[in-house]
Amino acid sequence: MRIGIDDTDSPAGMCTTYLGAVLASRLARAGFRVTETFLVRLNPNVIYKTRGNAAICIACEGDPDTAFTLTCGLVDELADLGCDATNPGVVVAEHPLPSSFYRKAVQDFCGIDEAISLLEKCGARYRGYKNCRGLIGAAAAVACDFDDATWELLSYRKPERWGTPRSVDRQSLFSAEQETWPHTWDSVDRENDVVVCVPHTPDPVLFGIRGESPAWVETARGWVRSEEPSIEQIFLTNQGTDAHLIPGRIGDLREGCSYLVTGTVSSVPLTGNGGHVSFILGDRGESVRCMAYEPTKGFRDVIRLLLPGDEVTVAGSYKGGSINLEKIQVRTVTRVVLTRPPHCGVCGKRMTSAGTGKGYKCRECGNRSREHEQTVVERGLACGWYEVPPSARRHLAKPLIRGPPPTV
Ligand code: ATP
């Protein structure tokens, strides 16, 4: 059986992953055999999300009615039901839900009625609280089927400390990264000297370590010195897999979906107010603006090196008419040739124009030439993939250390 939960938190506190961790432990205590805990990230552009649009699925063996009662009881106990925007959903399914629903929820948008009719059709037990929106995420989590997966160890704070400053030793996080990278990633951003894996929000999360296996995230965790956690859980997750990206074509992009798009740079990149960098990407007569926002830091330096004619593939969400860049593949760099008057073959001075169509003349010795000097400009931009730094990376974005996006 699979249990799904979503939409239990609010900006003021709680976190569905914490509910998942507590539920896994209570199920085990009640005699269930928990076989897997999934942290399922869904479409990052959903406006209803509190933070990272996460939902939880727990695969276990035991009595479904007891599981349903236990899960609903925990939602009643812990969800921030007082918040208008918190609309929890609980699903307990003895039979698989179609993975197409998961794929739609991670790459597109789903409706509440759509989730409910799916649950009815599949004979799942479910409970939607308030406007029932959480049933979308809960059903999608139960339906999850990852083509690629990573792991995250989440450490949670004791309830009496929620809302107070977190005590996690900064240097110990850098040591954890140093000792375990590239098997774990994004605990810190070494390039920008910032800690990434400790949130600043009032939720129960103390820190999270992301990596390629349970063993590696546990090894990294062993380096971390912090306040004493209340509970820890290792989740199998679609984070860091680019599961949100779909192949797209300029002129055919839908608001709120995330794409891999190939085209030709058609404008010189501009740095606008606030340090955001933009350029226009074109393909077959259509064009779209690509944005590298200020928080992407050094990534913008790569974007500033682009020139019209360069062929690139970009990855990112299409929002408000722009693609917000998560990474970019420079496929070809256009050759830029600088044409100048030549040096004089007699006296070595730089010649000057002798007038339109008349070639060049040496002002020093009067020598004439029709040949100009051509220099290939050193572009300083190599072909290959470039990505935003860990501090600006979205949960679903695949770090290049794991390889390029799946569909390229
Ligand atoms: P939490 O920790 O509580 O899960 P969150 O940042 O993950 O916080 P939610 O509070 O769960 O965000 O809010 C997201 C809401 O959007 C949920 O109700 C979920 O069911 C819904 N949702 C998720 N994905 C989609 C989608 N693709 N289309 C429509 N609704 C979605």
Side-chain angles (χ1 to χ4, degrees):
M1 129 184 78
R2 280 186 168 191
I3 305 171
I5 40 173
D6 195 17
D7 207 340
T8 63
D9 70 355
S10 76
M14 196 37 60
C15 172
T16 303
T17 71
Y18 173 72
L19 237 103
V22 174
L23 181 58
S25 123
R26 289 198 190 171
L27 285 165
R29 229 185 303 148
F32 285 78
R33 197 170 87 84
V34 175
T35 52
E36 197 57 86
T37 48
F38 301 90
L39 195 181
V40 186
R41 295 283 175 185
L42 301 171
N43 186 342
N45 305 309
V46 161
I47 55 165
Y48 306 110
K49 70 175 183 178
T50 312
R51 282 177 278 268
N53 204 6
I56 291 294
C57 169
I58 297 177
C60 62
E61 290 161 14
D63 174 53
D65 285 326
T66 311
F68 189 66
T69 309
L70 228 150
T71 309
C72 292
L74 190 64
V75 170
D76 290 333
E77 180 187 329
L78 291 180
D80 193 355
L81 290 163
C83 171
D84 272 355
T86 303
N87 300 286
V90 169
V91 171
V92 173
E94 288 174 80
H95 307 290
L97 299 187
S99 60
S100 53
F101 189 77
Y102 155 68
R103 259 169 249 291
K104 187 171 180 191
V106 73
Q107 296 178 338
D108 208 326
F109 296 89
C110 308
I112 299 172
D113 292 347
E114 192 182 349
I116 292 174
S117 62
L118 181 88
L119 294 167
E120 287 286 341
K121 205 171 108 196
C122 297
R125 290 166 182 75
Y126 67 92
R127 179 170 170 196
Y129 295 67
K130 296 161 71 182
N131 78 9
C132 300
R133 182 167 288 113
L135 284 176
I136 298 172
V142 166
C144 78
D145 179 18
F146 301 154
D147 297 324
D148 179 20
T150 64
W151 300 84
E152 178 160 8
L153 181 152
L154 276 156
S155 184
Y156 298 98
R157 316 184 72 194
K158 294 187 167 172
E160 61 271 22
R161 299 191 79 138
W162 295 352
T164 65
R166 289 167 174 84
S167 170
V168 184
D169 182 75
R170 180 185 155 86
Q171 189 47 50
S172 74
L173 294 170
F174 278 81
S175 303
E177 178 98 353
Q178 166 119 27
E179 296 296 327
T180 60
W181 186 90
H183 307 289
T184 74
W185 51 83
D186 291 3
S187 298
V188 297
D189 179 341
R190 286 189 270 191
E191 189 183 318
N192 295 300
D193 196 29
V194 289
V195 168
V196 178
C197 70
V198 180
H200 302 286
T201 41
D203 60 84
V205 175
L206 181 57
F207 59 83
I209 308 272
R210 295 169 180 201
E212 67 183 32
S213 68
W216 276 111
V217 294
E218 276 188 292
T219 303
R221 193 268 167 270
W223 285 87
V224 182
R225 290 189 301 275
S226 71
E227 66 187 55
E228 202 188 323
S230 64
I231 183 171
E232 290 188 346
Q233 181 69 44
I234 298 177
F235 293 96
L236 180 63
T237 174
N238 60 353
Q239 288 170 172
T241 67
D242 280 343
H244 60 317
L245 298 182
I246 47 182
R249 264 174 66 169
I250 303 170
D252 208 13
L253 308 176
R254 284 186 301 121
E255 177 73 17
C257 293
S258 306
Y259 292 100
L260 274 169
V261 175
T262 297
T264 305
V265 175
S266 63
S267 76
V268 172
L270 288 177
T271 302
N273 284 345
H276 311 308
V277 180
S278 66
F279 69 90
I280 305 296
L281 187 66
D283 183 35
R284 290 169 252 216
E286 303 279 357
S287 62
V288 66
R289 179 183 294 104
C290 296
M291 298 291 309
Y293 285 101
E294 190 281 331
T296 65
K297 304 290 177 197
F299 177 69
R300 294 171 303 160
D301 296 336
V302 174
I303 303 304
R304 287 188 186 103
L305 290 174
L306 293 169
L307 282 179
D310 293 345
E311 288 173 351
V312 298
T313 296
V314 299
S317 294
Y318 182 64
K319 282 176 86 176
S322 304
I323 295 177
N324 300 338
L325 298 176
E326 294 169 13
K327 57 192 153 211
I328 188 167
Q329 180 190 26
V330 178
R331 301 174 78 102
T332 64
V333 282
T334 192
R335 224 168 90 97
V336 179
V337 180
L338 203 70
T339 302
R340 297 202 289 174
H343 283 102
C344 173
V346 177
C347 70
K349 292 275 181 223
R350 173 82 61 194
M351 300 173 96
T352 56
S353 171
T356 315
K358 291 183 183 160
Y360 302 98
K361 187 177 175 185
C362 179
R363 302 278 165 213
E364 229 24 66
C365 66
N367 182 31
R368 285 180 173 271
S369 169
R370 298 205 76 84
E371 302 293 310
H372 32 240
E373 185 183 294
Q374 290 196 318
T375 333
V376 176
V377 176
E378 179 48 62
R379 290 288 311 274
L381 179 63
C383 289
W385 279 98
Y386 298 88
E387 64 187 345
V388 303
S391 53
R393 195 177 346 260
R394 292 182 123 173
H395 299 293
L396 278 164
K398 183 172 168 180
L400 289 178
I401 191 71
R402 300 199 65 242
T407 47
V408 171

